[in-house]
Amino acid sequence: MGGNVARGNRWMRRGVAALAAWPLAAWPLAAWAQEASGVDSGDTAWMLTSVALVLFMTIPGLALFYGGLVRAKNVLSVLMQCFVITCLVTVLWAVIGYSMSFSRDGMAQGEWGLAAFVGGASRAFLRGVTWGSVHPNAGSIPEAVYACFQLTFAIITPGLIIGAFAERMRFSAMLWFMGAWSLLVYAPVAHMVWGGPGAFLADLGTLDYAGGIVVHLSAGIAALVSAVMLGKRQGYPDTPMPPHSLTLAVVGAGMLWVGWFGFNAGSACGANDRAGMAMLATQLAASMAALTWMFVEWKRYGKPSVLGFVTGAVAGLATVTPASGYIGPMGALAIGFVAGVVCFYAATSMKRALGYDDSLDAFGVHGVGGTIGALLTGVFAAKSMGGHEDVSIAGQFMAQCIGVGVTLVWSGVVSYLILKAIDLTIGLRVSAQEEVEGLDLTQHNEAGYNL
């Protein structure tokens, strides 16, 4: 183990050195920044609010939701993971993540060179993000606000993965995984989908309004890979492992729901009619999914559970995300209904049948929800189905399938390679004894509750 740690430290020093040198040797500083004379104060005010709402989704929303679902001996570990991911991704975003996701170095529509798949280094260390700059993707708000808004998405995406490996991954391994994943998976996928004209999936016509592909699908696939590679928790599935505090989980779910309005309606990058429709679609889909999950569970198990109800709401929120700014109210209700049914069976029957231990159903809710939401966007975004987009259902559905397929393969393969490299160096999983004692004490030398 000592040799593995030493090798891991050497890799860390080399990685930091390479990361520091890469922006200086890569693409030159781009000149696409515009002046902020066209900045709209109303749009900017809404986007500042949306930044706060989306950050609120991770800390404290996701932290409390996941923290309440684990056993008492692991609650602090989950809270710590959510908070440390927030800080780690923030720093990486400033150093290179934003540039890899949204710089437009060398991009040309239809010309699929490297720039179509990942951004360059012109915005490394946030160079050019000045008092007067705006981004072409959001020309009515300052670039600093746009960069911060997109940062909150980059924060919550790896945070979602925690739910799959909760209660058994080493804290040091988690740090390495989340840092590498945010740069090698999240940034390229965000660039391909949201990078604008010249980005690979954007040019193919893939629609993802607020992150069903970029956020939920990419995180959900990584969650599944993580759960399989780490293996099951000791005693699973024979030993009962109920949530230690459903009260905390419900409070966290409520915070996620409220914050999601910034997530979806904020993706309009302005205070406009599209933001308003996205907000309405979000509320409708979440409500329909929660009710649908409740009735399906009620029929199957005889009683509706609080945990099932709030999980259904989160499933509806995740599923409507890629479609929210493109669909009408009835499309939102249809997507919510499908989410409630499909995600229920994914998180219960499918998980048991395939035998993987997705601790908090990160894949069943976000991976499956993001996938069906992205595919249904191809149906309900069309004007003929009450949506906003002038597209054919067949053509748009095919574009959505391509986006889902590319993201599934990229996130799955790269996640596996990152996890394998970590396992061969410092190790992924805590020891059997540490797992029995709980991650709060063994990883942080603290206890969530003094009983």
Side-chain angles (χ1 to χ4, degrees), residues 58-107:
T58 304
I59 50 172
L62 187 67
L64 292 177
F65 181 57
Y66 277 176
L69 294 179
V70 297
R71 290 169 288 181
K73 62 184 179 180
N74 296 310
V75 58
L76 280 185
S77 70
V78 170
L79 300 180
M80 178 65 168
Q81 287 170 13
C82 287
F83 271 77
V84 79
I85 285 171
T86 299
C87 298
L88 175 63
V89 172
T90 296
V91 173
L92 291 175
W93 190 252
V95 173
I96 196 59
Y98 175 64
S99 193
M100 291 177 67
S101 301
F102 292 102
S103 68
R104 299 189 51 77
D105 312 1
M107 291 178 66

Side-chain angles (χ1 to χ4, degrees), residues 230-255:
L230 268 83
K232 302 174 185 177
R233 290 166 291 175
Q234 291 188 60
Y236 180 88
D238 300 322
T239 302
M241 299 180 184
H244 91 279
S245 176
L246 277 177
T247 301
L248 286 183
V250 172
V251 170
M255 292 175 174

Side-chain angles (χ1 to χ4, degrees), residues 117-138:
F117 299 93
V118 65
S122 64
R123 283 303 194 254
F125 299 98
L126 298 182
R127 290 183 298 169
V129 180
T130 65
W131 298 95
S133 65
V134 298
H135 192 281
N137 289 4

Side-chain angles (χ1 to χ4, degrees), residues 368-388:
V368 173
T371 299
I372 62 176
L375 296 177
L376 290 176
T377 300
V379 177
F380 293 106
K383 287 185 177 180
S384 60
M385 297 296 290
H388 182 272

Side-chain angles (χ1 to χ4, degrees), residues 151-165:
L151 165 61
T152 59
F153 282 65
I155 287 170
I156 196 170
T157 306
L160 297 174
I161 305 172
I162 292 171
F165 58 70

